[in-house]
Amino acid sequence: MTDDGKPTLGIGMVGYSFMGAAHSQAWRSAPSFFDVPVVPVLRALGGRNAEAAGEVARRFGWESVETDWRQLVARDDVELVDVCTPGDTHAEIAIAALEAGKHVLCEKPLANTVEEAEAMVAAAEKAADSGVRSLVGFTYRRVPAIALARQLVADGRIGRIYHVRAQYLQDWISDPEAPLSWRLQKDRAGSGALGDIGAHVIDLTQHITGERITGVSAMLETFVKERPVPSSFSGPLGTTGGTLPSSAEKRASAERGPVTVDDAAVFMARFTGGALASFEATRFASGRKNAIRIEINGANGSLAFDFEDMNVLQVHDHTVDPRLGGFTRVLVTEPSHPYVEGWWPPGHLLGYEHAFTHQAVDLLTAIAGGTDPAPSFADGLVVQRILAAVEESAAANSAWTEVPV
Amino acid sequence: MTDDGKPTLGIGMVGYSFMGAAHSQAWRSAPSFFDVPVVPVLRALGGRNAEAAGEVARRFGWESVETDWRQLVARDDVELVDVCTPGDTHAEIAIAALEAGKHVLCEKPLANTVEEAEAMVAAAEKAADSGVRSLVGFTYRRVPAIALARQLVADGRIGRIYHVRAQYLQDWISDPEAPLSWRLQKDRAGSGALGDIGAHVIDLTQHITGERITGVSAMLETFVKERPVPSSFSGPLGTTGGTLPSSAEKRASAERGPVTVDDAAVFMARFTGGALASFEATRFASGRKNAIRIEINGANGSLAFDFEDMNVLQVHDHTVDPRLGGFTRVLVTEPSHPYVEGWWPPGHLLGYEHAFTHQAVDLLTAIAGGTDPAPSFADGLVVQRILAAVEESAAANSAWTEVPV
Amino acid sequence: MTDDGKPTLGIGMVGYSFMGAAHSQAWRSAPSFFDVPVVPVLRALGGRNAEAAGEVARRFGWESVETDWRQLVARDDVELVDVCTPGDTHAEIAIAALEAGKHVLCEKPLANTVEEAEAMVAAAEKAADSGVRSLVGFTYRRVPAIALARQLVADGRIGRIYHVRAQYLQDWISDPEAPLSWRLQKDRAGSGALGDIGAHVIDLTQHITGERITGVSAMLETFVKERPVPSSFSGPLGTTGGTLPSSAEKRASAERGPVTVDDAAVFMARFTGGALASFEATRFASGRKNAIRIEINGANGSLAFDFEDMNVLQVHDHTVDPRLGGFTRVLVTEPSHPYVEGWWPPGHLLGYEHAFTHQAVDLLTAIAGGTDPAPSFADGLVVQRILAAVEESAAANSAWTEVPV
Amino acid sequence: MTDDGKPTLGIGMVGYSFMGAAHSQAWRSAPSFFDVPVVPVLRALGGRNAEAAGEVARRFGWESVETDWRQLVARDDVELVDVCTPGDTHAEIAIAALEAGKHVLCEKPLANTVEEAEAMVAAAEKAADSGVRSLVGFTYRRVPAIALARQLVADGRIGRIYHVRAQYLQDWISDPEAPLSWRLQKDRAGSGALGDIGAHVIDLTQHITGERITGVSAMLETFVKERPVPSSFSGPLGTTGGTLPSSAEKRASAERGPVTVDDAAVFMARFTGGALASFEATRFASGRKNAIRIEINGANGSLAFDFEDMNVLQVHDHTVDPRLGGFTRVLVTEPSHPYVEGWWPPGHLLGYEHAFTHQAVDLLTAIAGGTDPAPSFADGLVVQRILAAVEESAAANSAWTEVPV
């Protein structure tokens, strides 16, 4: 309990790299900027490298370090386990935590395979019976402009949806000499651009529209088949964000190894309401750094978003007089916009990591309120099944592949 | 021969609506703004409705009107036949003109079927032996920003191409009560958004990249199956642009008839160099009026274009220091830019119809110089085969469909 | 009278360079795209250089050439005199034409001095008693987005105006080695950036707001005091647009001469309704080619325009829910937008010279209807007085200088 | 000393509202994301309202609260005093702190009068002899895009500067019924838009160009002379940012009081290098929320910045072939950009408050290194003198007013 009588929640986080930093800042900022009903306490940071983990713990105020994630999960003062490790370890850690009665926040994608994801959903649903909450970290849902987009669709302002256009464009390996990061290894990363960043736009488009993808036709491509092996290739325990290799991974050697994941994924889909959709995820779009671009065209209006201008939602109202029609550049920084009231006055922009704070706030609120937060592990499984369908279609010469809804 | 001793070329144009106006202005403007080697003379305008055709002829300075296109083709003073009619009449008129030894400018798409297009190519190639020239009107190639894009690729500034992203977005029938224009009738229009506007982005992406599409996987959709029949449904002879019904067609009646073409086409493709491509053509993108959007990502750089800001080409040079990298908004109005020197000083923008003047200039120059202009009828057939492959794939549940290269 | 019984109007144009081309195309296009009540006939082109003028006449279809403008004015078949010469000749030609009972279209600025402008107004007002019409060519008023801006203010959508922000930015002499064009000579051009391009934004802001400027405080600067004298410095008779020297003028010699006009003007102003205004006109804004940028902030809304994206008007409605507020990018290509119906379907952009056609249409309509067109010579005098006040203030160390309203 | 042997620095902050939150987050984030040589410890938060200050202290981890700022300054464990109160209290608190041998970070504007600012500079210079450091919080200097702009000028990429164009546009009191905040009271705030936000663009333009303003000609205006008095008008101790009243201040009553500061300031200036400059600061630009817009035009290139897209710097290189010239949208999120390496991968945007962290890092680094940080109090005085010159000019009918350099 805090000085002012608020209950606390002990957090244990596994992984401490890119996502670890984002999550640490979020746990710390949530009670500073929002009136959360339960206050997180940064109990333990888990990492195999005690020194490196210790440094991150000191920087962000974690009370202690655990070099074995099982010890972290077992601690009585850890009530929530935050899984920030690569995808191949998600299932094991998350299931163990759920079985130990700990709430779980698991980074995306939920798992590297549908089977793992199914096991995680089963564990989450069983744990939910005892009031244990779980959330998968499709954090971009909580960018205010994205949250506003969903509200506008739900309000009927877009109407019947005809088109969905979604791209996640990066360029960090368009250089053929970029090193063979763990993200380019199928056994660690599960897939390449598809699972790392394509998963985000799959989730976001379903989240905004409130609809589901029913089938896909897909192409995957690995443009550069072999790359230099980094001199130090152990790979950090904790990097799971949608982005760059650490500088350690950047030190290349003369040795070359095979890239075993996709560099880019392009696929078409249909949504439950009949919309035609076009998807793309790539790390070869030179000049685009983190361009999550989503467009929705409906009978009553349209929406457009680009993460490279993340505080803006472009909104077209198709019901107004065409003389004044067009896309309105809504700067999503008003107090009436989702999540904004906790922060700054209008026009004072938010950045990348703020959505992690929103995620922490929503999860803490759900835990305190005894409700299930979203996106659930089941939502994560939905994405996993679509990823699997994309891979299946691509392997079958782009044959149309249904997704079980 | 003109006063100053230049040779002339007698033009006969069939069709007088939207495209007729654009072509008329082009024939007239070409010798005003450019130093053309042969001066077009507007001899005859062909249209079944003598009164309506006469009005257009008077407005643009056509010397005479012919109500039977065969008469027009037969006239000795007509040396070039400009075909601006709907697609179902292209083959007949163009072949007759070529056989009569007349140069031919034929609006796009070349024809409504691959068979017709093949016959037209055969006629064009035979006529070429006698020095008769033919051109298909993929006019957007001659928008200066597009022409610059092609130059930059050819110069090696983009490098190996990884991604092509092309959309042609309009919204003029997103209203379900928009009337059943001839453009929504398969027998007149051949196809819907696919052939009318999708054909443009198919041609443009191949033109800019200098590569060819090798296969496609496609979806077609007709969102609104029945529409009000216009009270006056004869349909103008001459409207063939990628756009709106005439106001006459807008007068709806209570009667409804079936829409027999696609409202939207979404398809994926591969290019000869290995690039993954994503295409979309739709008349249901509310808020987008004539958004021809093309992006190319290559190893050395990227390009982005949007016709709604048509004087601009966005250029990213991936070889510069990232500290100064990004997309440069090149205002394509410098004297060193393609076609610009004929017009105004820098910053004085060009509009939609200027590309038609550029087309006329290039065609007149080719005729005078005894060279073959591009795009040829064979280039038009290439597009036609891709359109056919898209329809075939869509009918086969998006099965991958090779395009004969 | 035309074939279809419309009356005609004989046009005589003096000057044949940049503005001459723009006006020629306008006279020719007006009856093609608009249903004008009187049809212009291109009777005579006036230019001292018979060969050069003859070439332009041939290109644009002028029936004849006059090397002495007095002969042109005197011709019975010339009913309207279009003055496209440099500013130092406007008064003499326009007054002579008015006295000869000819309608006059005079390029801007109306004159090089207030005194000349006053004489022109007197002549115009006297001639008006006999039904002779006169118009000064502030052509940008007739760019559709600008015309829409004026409508929105008049409709009350902007409310009380607090701020006006106007810039006309070019960069064509930011290179100190750019040659000493006639535009840089006070005796020919009257002033530099101030009168050439500043005059436009002075007129436009008053036109859009429906208010007048009441006083100014100003700075003028000549950054580069001496420039290379062009090898051929006769100067064309007819260049009066707001832009570049001809390529002839670009051939520099070793000799240098003094620049006797301003390179840039920056001034503040107040409007009759109390708004604070900020103005800038410069030829030294590197990277800006023809950036006429106007912003209006009012109690109910705001407007923003940039000629480098001239088909767009940014409109902010301050009365809507801030959750959906922001600037709407209105693509001013709808049939309901000013002047657009004559041209193409939505999304098919217009270019620089289209506004000249709109000007011709409005002038022809006023002549046929017996009404006074705007902007009148008196409106031109208003601008001239503000230009004079700016020069007076700049000469007096930026002292506040009232403008007689 | 921290666990890993780093020295610490005890921070005492006076004020706890908008700026208090931004500074708290900055002190906490500095050692998390950057390798600072000395680690700040949040010792004491000063505020007259113990309860409100206690709540903020709890949220951000301040160890204690002081209701009397003199007690805070006197504490041995407070080594740096961070002044976040309204401008009328800056001088007293800052001078007391400096005299007590404490480093001082003082929010902008440095003071409400030149006299106060001079006294503060004297105190700072005297304290500097004993190694005491002081900094004035012109935080926007440390937005990465702004810092990059300064680097590019210093690198010679812009060349001789011809034009500076700077605006700070907000709209939060364009509604005449917005309440009479303390920011609208001359005795508390010193001035209105001029000092609150105009001060920022004065500082930024001098910072970026490395030049100084030598004189001004100005207009000030109070559009709305009376406003509703808020029901609770005590005013928070600590709000000093450039923005909105607290929600407490928004509760209006029937009573009305006079607005005693400017609503808007428009002024012209000259820079030491001869550039013409145009400035504007207003709270009446409807639709603009926090639009800090700066453009610099030089002989070799141009820069453009807008805080509403704060991660972007538009850069034009005027020395490249015009065929490829234009403004490049540099997304300032590369590791090679100023301050970025501490944060996220490319394309992951920063927000408003990150610049406060950069300010903390730079100040801590200067203190540890024994160097003087910038902007110094003397730099703050420079701005103060320009603000005074603006007021003097405005009061003298815009007479040109020299600024002592």
Side-chain angles (χ1 to χ4, degrees), chain B residues 88-315:
Chain B
D88 59 337
T89 62
H90 286 185
E92 189 178 18
I93 301 173
I95 292 170
L98 289 164
E99 288 176 353
K102 311 299 169 87
H103 307 294
V104 174
L105 166 54
C106 183
E107 259 304 320
K108 48 55 58 183
L110 188 58
N112 276 4
T113 67
V114 167
E115 293 67 33
E116 287 172 344
E118 286 171 341
M120 292 169 81
V121 170
E125 291 181 349
K126 188 172 170 203
D129 296 340
S130 325
V132 173
R133 310 293 164 192
S134 47
L135 183 81
V136 60
F138 286 115
T139 320
Y140 288 116
R141 286 188 177 199
R142 290 173 163 98
V143 169
I146 293 286
L148 177 62
R150 177 174 161 92
Q151 287 180 356
L152 297 181
V153 172
D155 291 351
R157 288 183 177 274
I158 307 307
R160 177 183 169 188
I161 294 172
Y162 294 126
H163 289 288
V164 174
R165 213 166 287 121
Q167 298 140 22
Y168 198 141
L169 309 179
Q170 299 183 332
D171 70 357
W172 57 277
I173 53 170
S174 67
D175 177 358
E177 293 306 304
L180 191 63
S181 147
W182 70 264
R183 289 180 180 282
L184 308 185
Q185 301 295 322
K186 190 169 184 58
D187 55 346
R188 300 299 308 282
S191 69
L194 176 62
D196 183 25
I197 56 179
H200 278 299
V201 283
I202 290 171
D203 181 69
L204 287 175
T205 52
Q206 295 187 127
H207 177 64
I208 293 170
T209 61
E211 297 189 15
R212 293 275 289 277
I213 288 171
T214 61
V216 297
S217 175
M219 301 191 291
L220 295 175
E221 182 64 73
T222 305
F223 294 115
V224 176
K225 315 288 191 203
E226 291 200 330
R227 289 182 177 274
V229 176
S231 48
S232 144
F233 192 56
S234 61
L237 179 59
T239 55
T240 70
T243 45
L244 287 179
S246 72
S247 54
E249 292 174 311
K250 280 182 184 165
R251 288 191 298 273
S253 69
E255 192 190 346
R256 286 177 176 264
V259 175
T260 49
V261 299
D262 60 277
D263 286 335
V266 174
F267 57 101
M268 310 185 299
R270 281 188 187 260
F271 276 70
T272 38
L276 302 186
S278 168
F279 285 91
E280 190 170 350
T282 180
R283 293 157 170 171
F284 275 70
S286 52
R288 305 298 181 192
K289 299 305 171 184
N290 205 47
I292 303 173
R293 305 196 301 195
I294 296 174
E295 290 188 29
I296 313 280
N297 302 127
N300 299 343
S302 289
L303 300 172
F305 172 81
D306 184 342
F307 189 79
E308 292 190 358
D309 195 11
M310 65 171 276
N311 290 272
V312 167
L313 184 68
Q314 302 275 356
V315 181

Side-chain angles (χ1 to χ4, degrees), chain C residues 351-363:
Chain C
Y352 164 69
E353 79 267 29
H354 291 76
F356 290 88
T357 297
H358 306 158
Q359 177 174 271
V361 170
D362 287 345
L363 179 51

Side-chain angles (χ1 to χ4, degrees), chain D residues 163-397:
Chain D
H163 289 288
V164 174
R165 213 166 287 121
Q167 297 140 21
Y168 198 142
L169 309 179
Q170 299 184 331
D171 70 357
W172 58 276
I173 52 169
S174 68
D175 177 358
E177 293 306 305
L180 191 62
S181 148
W182 70 266
R183 289 180 181 283
L184 307 186
Q185 301 294 322
K186 191 169 184 58
D187 56 347
R188 300 299 308 281
S191 70
L194 176 63
D196 184 24
I197 56 179
H200 278 300
V201 283
I202 290 170
D203 181 69
L204 287 175
T205 52
Q206 294 188 127
H207 178 64
I208 292 170
T209 60
E211 298 189 16
R212 293 275 289 279
I213 289 172
T214 61
V216 298
S217 175
M219 301 191 291
L220 294 176
E221 182 64 74
T222 304
F223 294 115
V224 175
K225 315 287 191 204
E226 291 200 330
R227 289 181 178 276
V229 176
S231 49
S232 144
F233 193 54
S234 62
L237 179 61
T239 54
T240 71
T243 44
L244 284 182
S246 71
S247 54
E249 294 175 309
K250 280 182 185 165
R251 285 192 300 273
S253 69
E255 192 189 347
R256 284 176 176 264
V259 175
T260 50
V261 299
D262 61 277
D263 286 336
V266 173
F267 57 102
M268 311 184 296
R270 281 189 187 260
F271 276 69
T272 37
L276 302 186
S278 168
F279 284 91
E280 191 170 348
T282 180
R283 295 157 168 171
F284 275 70
S286 52
R288 304 299 180 191
K289 300 305 172 182
N290 206 47
I292 303 172
R293 306 196 300 195
I294 296 174
E295 289 188 29
I296 313 279
N297 301 128
N300 298 343
S302 289
L303 300 172
F305 172 81
D306 184 342
F307 189 81
E308 292 190 358
D309 196 10
M310 65 171 275
N311 291 270
V312 166
L313 184 68
Q314 302 276 356
V315 181
H316 167 66
D317 183 346
H318 204 57
T319 66
V320 303
D321 180 355
R323 183 169 164 259
L324 291 171
F327 281 80
T328 300
R329 188 181 188 271
V330 179
L331 195 59
V332 190
T333 59
E334 296 294 313
S336 57
H337 286 140
Y339 303 110
V340 172
E341 194 152 28
W343 300 101
W344 315 113
H348 292 67
L349 308 192
L350 300 188
Y352 164 70
E353 79 267 30
H354 291 76
F356 290 88
T357 297
H358 306 157
Q359 177 174 270
V361 169
D362 286 346
L363 179 52
L364 293 168
T365 302
I367 288 170
T371 60
D372 277 322
S376 67
F377 278 18
D379 293 326
L381 174 59
V382 165
V383 173
Q384 211 70 39
R385 286 187 171 136
I386 296 166
L387 296 175
V390 167
E391 292 194 312
E392 184 184 330
S393 171
N397 205 17

Side-chain angles (χ1 to χ4, degrees), chain A residues 17-19 84-90 108-109 112 172 179-192 196 230 232-246 249 260-261 283:
Chain A
S17 187
F18 173 24
M19 278 303 103
C84 291
T85 53
D88 59 336
T89 63
H90 286 186
K108 49 54 57 181
N112 275 4
W172 57 276
L180 191 62
S181 147
W182 71 265
R183 289 180 180 283
L184 308 185
Q185 301 295 320
K186 190 169 185 58
D187 55 347
R188 300 298 307 281
S191 70
D196 183 24
S232 144
F233 192 54
S234 63
L237 179 60
T239 53
T240 71
T243 44
L244 285 181
S246 72
E249 293 174 310
T260 49
V261 299
R283 293 158 170 171

